[in-house]
Amino acid sequence: MTVERAAELLSSARRGIALTGAGISVESGIPAFRGAGGLWSKFDPVKVASIEFFMADPSAYWRAAKERGRVTLEAKPNPGHRALAALEADGHLKAVVTQNTDGLHQDSGSLCVIELHGSGRTVTCLDCGAAEPRAGVQARLESEMPPRCRVCGGGHLKPAVVLFGEPLPREAMRQAIELARQADVMLVVGSSLVVYPAADVPVIAARSGARLIIVNAEPTPLDEIADVVICGRSGEVLPEVVRLIGA
Ligand SMILES: [Zn+2]
């Protein structure tokens, strides 16, 4: 059975890492950025979530981002997030590298979280550099559009996430690659592995000798080189893996 094989690989991992994508947070009620049915289906995300669009009209950006921001701030970790935190606590994972910006890994107790696409929990003023929590800015959106910086009054408050057209945080990517090179097991969860350079992380790990486990709702381009492919919901599969390791 594939779940048993995944548990076997992870139970002997000494330098395991996980890479997570939108699929793990879908089970917490956060719609995937891509695909049909998401809150963003009425907008073109590549346009609306681009740095050019933001700089040209911060109000239009915030109007488009408002509903998703509310849903994300209210979301809670699900059993998949908690299972990854348990695997880290038990020494089977050294870190979670994530494409998500929702902060749910930290909420679930994961200690070493590398955010490749930044964090939606913080908002930064591009005019003066001040930072403030997203929750406060989110509350002001009802009466203030675009939201204004509390320090300088500027109108370019931007979530600390990587928008289209922006580079990934250099230090986060460096850490992810270093962990991938040293990893003995690479666990991919809820990522379709089509967004680069995040999708390079499991490629580097596999080339460096890591065993590759993929848990995703749909096939991925790396299924062919994976040791274990589990097509299913991470909120069900990962707790089962933890249970098998603990047994
Ligand atoms: Zn400012």
Side-chain angles (χ1 to χ4, degrees):
M1 275 292 289
T2 53
V3 178
E4 279 80 356
R5 179 66 181 142
E8 189 178 59
L9 289 174
L10 278 163
S11 68
S12 58
R14 314 250 336 229
R15 297 178 308 281
I17 63 171
L19 171 71
T20 66
I24 191 169
S25 291
V26 164
E27 293 170 45
S28 287
I30 301 175
F33 197 63
R34 284 151 206 285
L39 285 172
W40 285 57
S41 56
K42 52 189 162 180
F43 304 105
D44 174 1
V46 178
K47 182 187 167 211
V48 171
S50 73
I51 187 67
E52 292 81 6
F53 184 86
F54 174 84
M55 293 306 290
D57 190 350
S59 299
Y61 171 85
W62 280 105
R63 279 196 301 276
K66 184 176 162 184
E67 174 65 3
R68 184 180 175 86
R70 183 189 64 74
V71 169
T72 302
L73 285 174
E74 289 173 358
K76 299 278 183 285
N78 66 62
H81 293 107
R82 288 194 287 274
L84 291 180
L87 288 170
E88 182 185 0
D90 288 347
H92 303 301
L93 290 179
K94 287 187 83 73
V96 176
V97 178
T98 187
Q99 298 171 268
N100 300 336
T101 60
D102 51 43
L104 293 180
H105 286 301
Q106 292 90 332
D107 286 354
S108 71
S110 288
L111 298 178
C112 185
V113 180
I114 296 166
E115 296 176 306
L116 293 181
H117 295 163
S119 171
R121 296 273 177 96
T122 301
V123 172
T124 310
C125 172
L126 298 188
D127 298 316
C128 77
E132 70 169 302
R134 171 68 174 263
V137 175
Q138 189 71 26
R140 300 212 292 282
L141 294 179
E142 298 302 329
S143 57
E144 203 176 88
M145 195 62 89
R148 294 275 166 187
C149 174
R150 281 292 189 254
V151 176
C152 76
H156 291 88
L157 285 182
K158 179 186 158 299
V161 299
V162 176
L163 297 181
F164 289 100
E166 290 191 298
L168 264 59
R170 192 183 297 250
E171 179 58 18
M173 199 61 209
R174 190 197 64 74
Q175 288 179 30
I177 290 172
E178 185 63 25
L179 285 161
R181 287 200 177 119
Q182 296 173 3
D184 50 5
V185 173
M186 172 86 237
L187 170 63
V188 175
V189 182
S191 173
S192 47
L193 297 176
V194 293
V195 177
Y196 284 85
D200 280 331
V201 172
V203 173
I204 292 166
R207 279 195 194 135
S208 305
R211 312 304 288 268
L212 181 57
I213 303 166
I214 298 176
V215 179
N216 198 44
E218 297 157 10
T220 82
L222 294 189
D223 286 0
E224 279 183 24
I225 64 161
D227 295 88
V228 179
V229 177
I230 302 172
C231 186
R233 293 164 60 88
S234 51
E236 294 165 4
V237 173
L238 296 180
E240 178 65 7
V241 168
V242 169
R243 190 187 68 75
L244 288 169
I245 291 176

